[in-house]
Amino acid sequence: MSAMLRVKGIAAFVLYVGLLVPPVTALSGIGADAAELVRMVLVPMCVVAGHGLIVGATRCDRSHRRRAANWSTVMQGGR
């Protein structure tokens, strides 16, 4: 299994956890102001972290593919 696939799986999990924050705060019994503060902080943080992991994994995979393609050209003597 490639590392990119693992990182994208973790990113999907982070996004899923971000979606669960509002119902959990509603059912937890904490005050309305505290629940709103938790939602205001955690949901955007999960969204940004999840998308950041996806973008980072994609960029890393692209750079590894480019290096591998260039290395095979070098090994063939520039042909």
Side-chain angles (χ1 to χ4, degrees), residues 1 7 11-12 14 38 41 43 47 56 60-62 71:
M1 181 153 79
V7 172
V14 168
V38 168
V41 171
V43 172
V47 169
C60 184
D61 187 53
R62 283 185 188 168
W71 182 251

Side-chain angles (χ1 to χ4, degrees):
M1 181 153 79
S2 73
M4 184 180 88
L5 186 60
R6 269 185 256 142
V7 172
K8 284 189 176 183
I10 293 169
F13 180 71
V14 168
L15 291 170
Y16 178 72
V17 168
L19 289 173
L20 290 177
V21 169
V24 168
T25 57
L27 296 172
S28 67
I30 61 175
D33 291 339
E36 186 64 31
L37 179 65
V38 168
R39 278 184 237 137
M40 226 169 46
V41 171
L42 285 182
V43 172
M45 192 167 61
C46 286
V47 169
V48 169
H51 284 91
L53 285 169
I54 291 171
V55 169
T58 304
R59 291 189 71 188
C60 184
D61 187 53
R62 283 185 188 168
S63 68
H64 284 294
R65 286 184 185 182
R66 284 188 184 142
R67 279 192 216 128
N70 289 340
W71 182 251
S72 64
T73 305
V74 169
M75 293 302 289
Q76 294 174 358
R79 291 180 247 150

